[in-house]
């Protein structure tokens, strides 16, 4: 992102990590920096009775191994808690229960619903997805959640709604990064209504068969795997159906580098680095990046007629 350099594939000298654990993780971490975490932080907290693990939807397959859970839990972007990748410990401070989600804007009737009620109402399934960060690293993860289209149906948007705007919590007392006034808090993201209705667009409330750990954006975050990772907004408190295209967090910071569309395309370089390949988190592999991150079949049609837009920035 604008304030992060591309990842430097070097391990920090992690004095906190017991030697044996450090040695065995060495192979999988393969140069991605990581600090030791307590199991409470790495593993996701209390499982809701009967909801986790949710049945896997086998239509969503991967062509590569899942990223080991510990690696995924220890390498994150969550600017609300700072610019380090090791923000799990800081993010653990966020209180995620109760958690009110507002659904408003151009809808038949605005509503407020607790995140846990939302998950019980809309049901849970597991899907294996890729995530490709704009910084040229990638991961694969078993998300648990529900299709965003179900939330849209619940909201009953009016015909005049053109975009879905999603907003993260804003609480600088808990999230130290939000005390930095040069960022345009709260974090905002958006999708067109057609994108929100696409079957790949997913709201994740869990990962690895458990409720979402805070650092992944508990209690609910977006997962849109054909777009660069910054579109997948974390810890959402508000879904608004709007007519105007929302100004997104990263677009406000660096419009030439991070746009509204942000679809993955190996042929369109970031102004400061190539997007042709990606470092696979938890391995030593650098692999070619795929158009729409490998999901062209599912999403390419969304962009017919929009060729004049900057679809890949
Ligand atoms: N959402 C919020 N609210 N704050 C953030 O800093 N970072 C984004 C995205 N969602 C971010 C966010 C970026 S840049 C990426 S790559 C993904 O979250 C990372 O998700 P992960 O940490 O679960 O891998």
């Amino acid at each position: 992102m604008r304030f992060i350099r591309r990842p430097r594939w070097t391990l920090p000298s992690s004095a906190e990590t017991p030697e044996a654990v450090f040695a065995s993780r060495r192979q999988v971490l393969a140069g991605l920096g990581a600090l030791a975490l307590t199991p409470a932080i790495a593993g996701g907290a209390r499982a809701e009775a009967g909801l986790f693990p949710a049945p896997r939807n086998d239509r969503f397959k991967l062509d590569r191994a899942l990223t080991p859970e510990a690696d995924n839990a220890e390498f994150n972007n969550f600017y609300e808690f700072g610019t380090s990748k090791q923000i799990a410990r800081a993010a653990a401070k966020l209180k995620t229960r109760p958690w009110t989600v507002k659904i408003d804007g151009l809808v038949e009737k605005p509503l407020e619903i607790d995140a846990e009620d939302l998950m019980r109402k809309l049901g849970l399934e597991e899907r294996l997805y890729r995530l490709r960060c704009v910084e040229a690293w990638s991961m694969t993860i078993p998300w648990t959640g529900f299709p965003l289209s179900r939330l849209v149906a619940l909201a009953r948007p009016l015909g005049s709604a053109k975009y879905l705007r999603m907003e993260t919590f804003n609480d600088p007392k808990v999230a130290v990064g939000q005390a930095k006034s040069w960022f345009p808090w709260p974090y905002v993201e958006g999708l067109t209504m057609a994108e929100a209705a696409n079957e790949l667009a997913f709201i994740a409330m869990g990962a690895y068969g458990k409720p979402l750990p805070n650092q992944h954006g508990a209690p609910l975050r977006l997962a849109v795997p054909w777009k660069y990772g910054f579109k997948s907004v974390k810890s959402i408190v508000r879904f608004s159906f709007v007519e105007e295209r929302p100004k997104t967090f990263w677009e406000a910071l660096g419009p030439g580098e991070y746009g509204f569309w942000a679809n993955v395309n190996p042929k369109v370089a970031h102004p400061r680095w190539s997007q042709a390949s990606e470092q696979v988190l938890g391995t030593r592999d650098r692999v070619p990046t795929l158009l729409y991150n490998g999901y062209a079949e599912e999403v390419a049609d969304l962009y017919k007629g929009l060729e004049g837009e900057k679809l890949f920035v």
Side-chain angles (χ1 to χ4, degrees):
M1 317 301 295
R2 193 173 178 188
F3 300 99
I4 332 165
R5 270 174 236 110
R6 295 179 65 191
R8 286 161 295 150
W9 311 112
T10 51
L11 278 169
S13 53
S14 182
E16 288 181 58
T17 314
E19 193 53 36
V21 178
F22 187 63
S24 67
R25 278 211 314 232
R26 235 196 165 103
Q27 293 89 31
V28 288
L29 282 168
L32 293 172
L35 292 173
L37 291 173
T38 61
I41 296 172
R46 315 136 284 181
E48 280 81 358
L51 289 176
F52 291 90
R56 181 173 295 177
N57 184 337
D58 284 323
R59 281 192 303 124
F60 301 92
K61 295 191 177 16
L62 293 174
D63 63 346
R64 56 180 82 160
L66 280 177
T67 305
E69 183 178 354
D71 296 348
N72 240 333
E74 295 169 10
F75 191 86
N76 304 93
N77 275 331
F78 205 167
Y79 276 64
E80 282 79 350
F81 295 97
T83 53
S84 156
K85 302 291 184 205
Q86 282 80 45
I87 40 70
R89 217 176 275 281
K93 293 196 190 95
L94 182 67
K95 192 170 165 268
T96 59
R97 283 160 214 222
W99 188 274
T100 305
V101 177
K102 276 190 193 166
I103 302 179
D104 63 8
L106 301 168
V107 292
E108 280 181 23
K109 196 169 160 227
L111 71 107
E112 289 193 6
I113 184 167
D114 184 75
E116 257 181 60
D117 294 339
L118 192 66
M119 120 172 120
R120 285 184 196 280
K121 206 176 177 82
L122 300 186
L124 293 179
E125 65 182 55
E126 184 178 73
R127 293 184 180 189
L128 310 185
Y129 272 7
R130 299 152 170 264
L131 182 146
R132 168 60 159 82
C133 180
V134 73
E135 296 163 340
W137 54 267
S138 67
M139 63 160 186
T140 49
I141 188 161
W143 295 122
T144 303
F146 51 81
L148 179 59
S149 60
R150 271 189 217 156
L151 185 140
V152 173
L154 177 74
R156 290 189 287 163
L158 304 176
S160 48
K162 294 201 170 46
Y163 299 91
L164 175 57
R165 177 187 185 278
M166 287 153 279
E167 188 179 302
T168 298
F169 72 89
N170 194 5
D171 187 355
K173 287 192 292 305
V174 176
V176 290
Q178 290 184 324
K180 313 264 187 268
S181 59
W182 54 89
F183 287 107
W185 307 112
Y187 199 102
V188 167
E189 260 306 337
L191 296 174
T192 63
M193 291 299 288
E195 289 175 328
N198 184 275
E199 66 161 355
L200 275 181
F202 198 62
I203 294 293
M205 298 196 69
Y208 297 93
K210 288 170 277 190
L212 213 54
N214 280 8
Q215 66 270 29
H216 280 309
L220 73 166
R221 59 90 59 78
L222 182 67
V224 277
W226 71 98
K227 291 180 177 285
Y228 290 115
F230 66 87
K231 293 291 296 182
S232 289
V233 47
K234 297 179 169 183
S235 303
I236 303 169
V237 290
R238 187 170 173 202
F239 293 85
S240 305
F241 292 83
V242 295
E243 204 167 345
E244 298 283 308
R245 184 183 294 180
K247 173 71 88 150
T248 62
F249 179 84
W250 284 107
E251 198 185 5
L253 281 167
E257 305 201 351
Y258 313 104
F260 172 80
W261 297 100
N263 294 307
V264 176
N265 187 336
K267 295 200 173 126
V268 179
H270 182 277
R272 289 182 282 130
W273 59 82
S274 162
Q275 295 290 22
S277 65
E278 66 208 46
Q279 178 72 35
V280 183
L281 192 67
T283 75
R284 290 185 185 281
D285 302 338
R286 188 152 199 108
V287 302
T289 288
L290 301 174
L291 182 61
Y292 294 112
N293 200 21
Y295 296 100
E297 209 177 295
E298 290 89 341
V299 300
D301 279 357
L302 290 171
Y303 305 103
K304 284 202 173 130
L306 291 171
E307 291 78 7
E309 297 276 338
K310 288 189 170 164
L311 292 174
F312 304 106
V313 176

